[in-house]
Amino acid sequence: MDTLTWTGSASFLNPLLMLAIAATLVAAIANILISIFVPEGPQQVNPDGTIAARGGVPGLVSKLLYWAFLASVGVILLYILLGAFMGTGAGIIGSMAQQFLPVWIALIILYAASVAFKRRLGLYGKLFDSPIGMIGFGLVMFWVFTGVFGALDLIVTHDPLAQVSGMKNKVPGTPMRGAEEGEFAWYLLGGDNLARDVFSRMVRGAWIVVQIAPLATLFAFMVGITLGLPAGYYGGRLDTFLSFLANLILAFPVILLFYLLVTPEIVATGVPNYMATVLFIFPIIFTAVLLNSRFYTQPRFRTPLLIGVLGVMIWLYLSLISERGSAVAILPEFLDLFDIPGGILVVFVSVVFVNSPTVFRIVRGLTMDIKTRDYVAAAQTRGEGPWYIMLWEILPNARGPLIVDFCLRIGYTTILLGTLGFFGLGLPPESPDWGSTINEGRKLLSIYLHPALPPALALLSLVLGLNLLADGLREESLRD
Amino acid sequence: MILTALCLTFVVFFLTNLYPNLEKLAKTQGNFRMSEEAVNSWLASNGYDKPTLVKYGQWLGVLPGWTLETEDGVRGRCINGTVSAEEAADAPGLCGILQGDWGYSTVFKEDVAGIIAVRLGNTGYLMFWVLLLMVPSALLVGVLAGMREGSPLDRSLSTFSILTTATPEYVSGVIFIAVFTSSAVGLKWFKGTATSAMENPTFENFFLPVLTISLYGMGYIARMTRASMTEVMTAQYIRTARLKGVSFHNIVLKHALRNALIAPFTVIMLQFPWLLNGVVIVETLFNYKGFGWVLVQAAGNNDIELLLAVSVVSVIVVLVTQLISDIGYVYLNPRIRIS
């Protein structure tokens, strides 16, 4: 079998792509230069009161930019489309596009459904009005679907941990020697220095990020909100004390903290388990207070609700923190629903720990701002309890900045996870997460590029997507 | 502030002095197949078996250092090696960082103060160039983008700064090494390691680490500058100046710029703790033996006193920059200074 080239029989598209991208670049630069040197073109006032239509050269160039950009996107889509049908016939890119087929289908369905119903979907629907938000959302969902389908074994071509002899450090597109029937016969993005498939490792790495990053961010938000609301609302000693603690954690260099917390020795002492015990209790407190303050006046409804919800959450909590053979083992084994491997738990805990002080500060600042508003005074006059005011009056009104920060923070958490992997902390060394893969690949970087670059670009595109998504959300939430 | 520093060092001290860490230290210093008793006796003979608070007091210099009488003579925290009882009596009782004694590194077999001084010098040099590259270019990008909100220049520069904030150092570093130094692709413009830059920094071996650290911080500062610049450009006095007929570049340079640079100043100062992270990653990636490299070595080998010194220095850096940013903000902003 031959070595695959990058584009295979779809290579007739290469000059087209080059042309389209070159045109885009030229138009973009010309557009910038013109905007500096040429004053605003003639404007015309439309009948509905808007001002539009820059004519002349600037208008022409910006039209050109638009079409050239569309052309480049179109050619790239053509690559993917051809690849999805031709598979390995269209080279490495084509067969990757074919492997990602479930992701494309899921993305198309999601976008079609969202655009069709965007007026009924609130802030999420408004996201589809801003091109930046759409691009960002697309990148994020691409990796989310990749992670999910990768975990379902739909995308990966080989076992990400299996080593195949003769594939060590092979360049992308190398065929496997003696590939069996039904087995994928190429290493699409080459092999790393332990002869494992780079492509499959990258796809599996997405699953690790998709699992940990949003959940860790959510926990950090729970901790930050539960502590930040009272700190901002009551002020005084409580505020001083909590702010001191938050500043204490923030003054630590993150990497030093990781090095201190995420080592096998510390895991053996059980410090992360104790920290998990403390940190994971905040979602329970949050939910309990949230429901209690809302339904306080209807005890008939509140009591069963609280018993039901808290019962489930406490059971999850206990089975989350208690682990066989570790420092915290409260639940008997038959009640323990699942065990989280020590490595993942410590990574999770330290990421939550690092993120929550920043969230705390944001929530505290927002609360201090919002508590001077009239509707809070109105609620106080009605005689509402302080927790009702905090959770049902202040928090919903602070949601805009918090949602934007949530997106940014998932990106930051992804970067932190990569940092942990890069220093070889926490996760086992053979784990396919992006940070560890970059760390392994960088050792031979000057000779073999292909093991380190795909995870690096994957991480870059995911974080970029989250940043763009946050930008789009900010724009759309400012609009109303 | 002093309370913060004390709390932080105590946390570091506590975590490094947990038993499994001490056991690892004993095994790396002594012998990997040491038995339980051998580990305990090694810890006892090196003064690690005291309660954590006592050890912390000794390190700080408020409690007298430990001494231990053996058959050969007296060993102790403030004594070099094993000496006779008379000499031991002459040694100072207190020796901690308050007395200027930073302790002894178990990894490098050197005094911690010396290591920190040398490595901090290396990193200081790196940081100097980083700041020199990062701050002006970030301010320039931010001001140019914020000057005319929504213009094509603004959009492309904003995209650029989002792109740089989304690229952590280990990603951009890997991409730069791949593009500019790899022997496989061909662009051999720079060197992939900065090891030689410690003695003889040249553009070729020093530019990539500097660029890698700067880019990540730059995007954030540029976005803050842009936000502050757009805010200033919509202010009343800018409109007044515009209506008076002041030319656009005069407005930007004389009226808007000074007011727009107040907010980024705070941001730049608060970037220092983040730069510290970048330094650790980049020094590991480019093998430049500075402060971040020492941190990795010390933490990886549980070198307690070196790690404590590292954390003291970094905490001081963080707290001092916070102080400077508060003072500088008051100084720069006449509205706060006068009221």
Side-chain angles (χ1 to χ4, degrees):
Chain A
M1 250 182 287
D2 295 332
T3 302
L4 291 180
T5 55
W6 279 101
T7 46
S9 51
S11 54
F12 65 91
L13 287 174
N14 293 357
L16 281 180
L17 182 70
M18 290 291 160
L19 204 68
I21 287 179
T24 315
L25 283 181
V26 170
I29 292 169
N31 203 7
I32 292 170
L33 288 181
I34 285 172
S35 80
I36 295 174
F37 294 115
V38 180
E40 297 280 309
Q43 288 172 341
Q44 101 189 37
V45 181
N46 291 337
D48 56 346
T50 53
I51 301 177
R54 287 200 304 157
V57 181
L60 183 72
V61 171
S62 53
K63 276 228 175 71
L64 204 67
L65 174 65
Y66 180 71
W67 287 109
F69 180 73
L70 273 193
S72 347
V73 172
V75 174
I76 292 172
L77 283 181
L78 212 58
Y79 272 119
I80 293 172
L81 201 67
L82 277 180
F85 288 111
M86 291 161 63
T88 50
I92 297 172
I93 292 177
S95 38
M96 280 204 299
Q98 196 174 41
Q99 289 299 320
F100 278 122
L101 196 60
V103 178
W104 304 131
I105 295 172
L107 272 181
I108 290 169
I109 293 173
L110 178 74
Y111 264 71
S114 308
V115 172
F117 297 109
K118 72 177 172 184
R119 289 286 159 254
R120 285 188 239 156
L121 291 170
L123 184 63
Y124 168 76
K126 279 194 200 131
L127 193 63
F128 290 86
D129 289 337
S130 104
I132 289 188
M134 263 168 86
I135 295 174
F137 187 67
L139 280 173
V140 173
M141 287 322 283
F142 173 79
W143 286 112
V144 170
F145 286 134
T146 304
V148 172
F149 292 131
L152 297 174
D153 263 342
L154 284 176
I155 301 174
V156 288
T157 50
H158 297 91
D159 180 1
L161 298 183
Q163 309 181 357
V164 177
S165 69
M167 297 306 287
K168 185 176 167 183
N169 288 331
K170 282 290 185 291
V171 293
T174 308
M176 267 168 72
R177 243 183 301 161
E180 285 160 31
E181 195 69 25
E183 203 180 12
F184 199 79
W186 287 273
Y187 266 17
L188 282 178
L189 289 176
D192 64 4
N193 68 338
L194 287 173
R196 296 169 298 196
D197 183 28
V198 174
F199 176 73
S200 309
R201 286 177 70 76
M202 183 188 75
V203 172
R204 268 307 155 77
W207 176 230
I208 294 179
V209 170
V210 168
Q211 265 179 313
I212 298 181
L215 208 59
T217 317
L218 193 68
F219 272 75
F221 262 76
M222 293 281 185
V223 177
I225 289 174
T226 320
L227 293 177
L229 281 175
Y233 187 74
Y234 290 119
R237 287 236 186 96
L238 180 77
D239 183 25
T240 318
F241 174 69
L242 287 176
S243 299
F244 175 74
L245 275 189
N247 286 336
L248 196 68
I249 301 172
L250 285 177
F252 251 117
V254 178
I255 291 184
L256 182 64
L257 202 66
F258 281 159
Y259 258 110
L260 289 174
L261 282 178
V262 194
T263 54
E265 287 79 30
I266 295 282
V267 176
T269 60
V271 170
N273 292 79
Y274 295 123
M275 283 174 63
T277 316
V278 175
L279 287 177
F280 293 169
I281 211 164
F282 281 102
I284 300 183
I285 298 178
F286 180 78
T287 326
V289 177
L290 185 79
L291 295 176
N292 187 35
S293 60
R294 184 81 174 94
F295 300 109
Y296 183 67
T297 45
Q298 301 148 266
R300 278 244 200 101
F301 179 64
R302 176 202 58 174
T303 318
L305 181 75
L306 272 187
I307 290 175
V309 171
L310 287 190
V312 172
M313 283 188 76
I314 289 174
W315 190 17
L316 284 178
Y317 167 72
L318 287 177
S319 49
L320 192 69
I321 59 165
S322 69
E323 204 180 318
R324 272 186 305 277
S326 80
V328 183
I330 307 166
L331 274 191
E333 214 170 289
F334 62 94
L335 281 178
D336 204 345
L337 290 178
F338 44 83
D339 268 333
I340 297 183
I344 302 255
L345 185 75
V346 68
V347 167
F348 195 84
V349 168
S350 46
V351 169
V352 172
F353 187 68
V354 168
N355 270 325
S356 39
T358 332
V359 181
F360 165 81
R361 291 228 292 212
I362 295 170
V363 174
R364 175 176 163 269
L366 286 170
T367 313
M368 286 168 84
D369 176 28
I370 293 177
K371 80 172 175 189
T372 56
R373 301 281 168 87
D374 286 345
Y375 48 80
V376 174
Q380 280 165 341
T381 323
R382 284 206 305 272
E384 304 282 9
W387 281 102
Y388 178 84
I389 296 176
M390 282 184 236
L391 288 168
W392 293 95
E393 301 278 350
I394 294 179
L395 191 59
N397 286 299
R399 70 179 185 280
L402 285 183
I403 291 173
V404 171
D405 187 67
F406 188 72
C407 288
L408 285 177
R409 203 147 289 282
I410 294 178
Y412 182 60
T413 310
T414 313
I415 292 180
L416 282 184
L417 288 176
T419 314
L420 278 172
F422 182 76
F423 285 106
L425 295 168
L427 297 164
E430 79 276 2
S431 119
D433 72 294
W434 293 337
S436 314
T437 323
I438 294 174
N439 183 32
E440 259 173 51
R442 79 180 165 93
K443 287 164 191 157
L444 289 172
L445 197 59
S446 55
I447 318 166
Y448 303 112
L449 300 178
H450 57 272
L453 276 184
L457 293 176
L459 200 147
L460 170 61
S461 61
L462 175 59
V463 179
L464 181 67
L466 285 163
N467 274 305
L468 292 177
L469 178 62
D471 240 44
L473 281 175
R474 182 184 300 139
E475 243 169 56
E476 293 303 319
S477 69
L478 279 182
R479 200 166 284 176
D480 50 33
Chain B
M1 201 173 127
I2 290 171
L3 189 63
T4 315
L6 274 182
C7 286
L8 282 178
T9 48
F10 182 71
V11 170
V12 177
F13 200 84
F14 175 75
L15 286 174
T16 46
N17 272 287
L18 286 168
Y19 186 73
N21 272 333
L22 289 180
E23 193 182 342
K24 184 181 159 203
L25 179 69
K27 284 185 176 168
T28 45
Q29 290 303 307
N31 164 353
F32 274 102
R33 285 186 292 279
M34 272 163 122
S35 64
E36 195 85 355
E37 296 87 58
V39 168
N40 283 332
S41 73
W42 187 89
L43 291 179
S45 70
N46 285 289
Y48 287 115
D49 58 341
K50 308 277 188 304
T52 311
L53 268 177
V54 174
K55 279 188 287 185
Y56 183 64
Q58 289 179 357
W59 175 79
L60 210 58
V62 292
L63 290 177
W66 56 271
T67 52
L68 185 80
E69 287 175 27
T70 57
E71 288 149 21
D72 314 330
V74 182
R75 295 159 54 82
R77 181 181 157 82
C78 311
I79 306 166
N80 278 332
T82 311
V83 294
S84 63
E86 296 83 58
E87 281 178 57
D90 293 338
L94 296 171
C95 53
I97 59 163
L98 291 181
Q99 282 80 30
D101 185 347
W102 291 75
Y104 184 77
S105 157
T106 49
V107 180
F108 297 102
K109 312 283 180 209
E110 254 180 80
D111 269 342
V112 169
I115 301 175
I116 293 286
V118 172
R119 301 305 177 195
L120 211 54
N122 280 348
T123 297
Y125 188 73
L126 182 66
M127 292 298 272
F128 170 74
W129 284 104
V130 166
L131 289 179
L132 207 64
L133 177 68
M134 178 175 81
V135 174
S137 45
L139 292 182
L140 190 69
V141 168
V143 167
L144 282 181
M147 204 163 65
R148 277 206 192 106
E149 198 185 358
S151 69
L153 184 67
D154 173 28
R155 262 179 266 144
S156 34
L157 287 179
S158 297
T159 316
F160 171 72
S161 44
I162 288 183
L163 191 67
T164 57
T165 35
T167 321
E169 291 93 349
Y170 48 91
V171 170
S172 53
V174 161
I175 293 174
F176 286 144
I177 293 182
V179 173
F180 291 122
T181 73
S182 156
S183 52
V185 178
L187 276 182
K188 284 185 237 164
W189 291 358
F190 300 108
K191 288 211 172 101
T193 76
T195 320
S196 55
M198 282 177 291
E199 289 91 40
N200 173 30
T202 57
F203 185 69
E204 192 188 23
N205 58 20
F206 204 57
F207 182 66
L208 277 190
V210 170
L211 183 68
T212 310
I213 302 180
S214 322
L215 270 185
Y216 186 51
M218 202 174 104
Y220 189 66
I221 299 179
R223 286 174 81 175
M224 290 296 143
T225 317
R226 177 185 173 271
S228 141
M229 188 73 189
T230 48
E231 201 187 314
V232 169
M233 288 303 280
T234 52
Q236 298 280 345
Y237 59 89
I238 297 291
R239 193 171 6 152
T240 315
R242 196 121 203 218
L243 291 177
K244 276 195 311 192
V246 184
S247 70
F248 187 72
H249 75 263
N250 256 338
I251 291 180
V252 172
L253 290 178
K254 291 195 179 151
H255 297 249
L257 202 57
R258 277 190 57 186
N259 288 305
L261 290 185
I262 296 172
F265 173 76
T266 326
V267 176
I268 292 170
M269 278 300 152
L270 295 180
Q271 276 280 314
F272 269 90
W274 300 101
L275 285 181
L276 211 61
N277 275 340
V279 163
V280 178
I281 293 171
V282 166
E283 285 182 359
T284 314
L285 189 61
F286 288 94
N287 201 18
Y288 181 79
K289 295 194 172 97
F291 187 69
W293 183 80
V294 168
L295 192 157
V296 172
Q297 293 298 319
N301 297 301
N302 200 41
D303 187 340
I304 297 174
E305 293 191 325
L306 187 54
L307 200 52
L308 281 167
V310 167
S311 47
V312 168
V313 171
S314 47
V315 166
I316 288 175
V317 168
V318 171
L319 295 179
V320 166
T321 48
Q322 276 177 5
L323 196 69
I324 294 177
S325 88
D326 285 353
I327 296 172
Y329 190 71
V330 175
Y331 181 74
L332 280 177
N333 197 340
R335 269 168 289 193
I336 296 179
R337 194 175 48 202
I338 289 166
S339 65

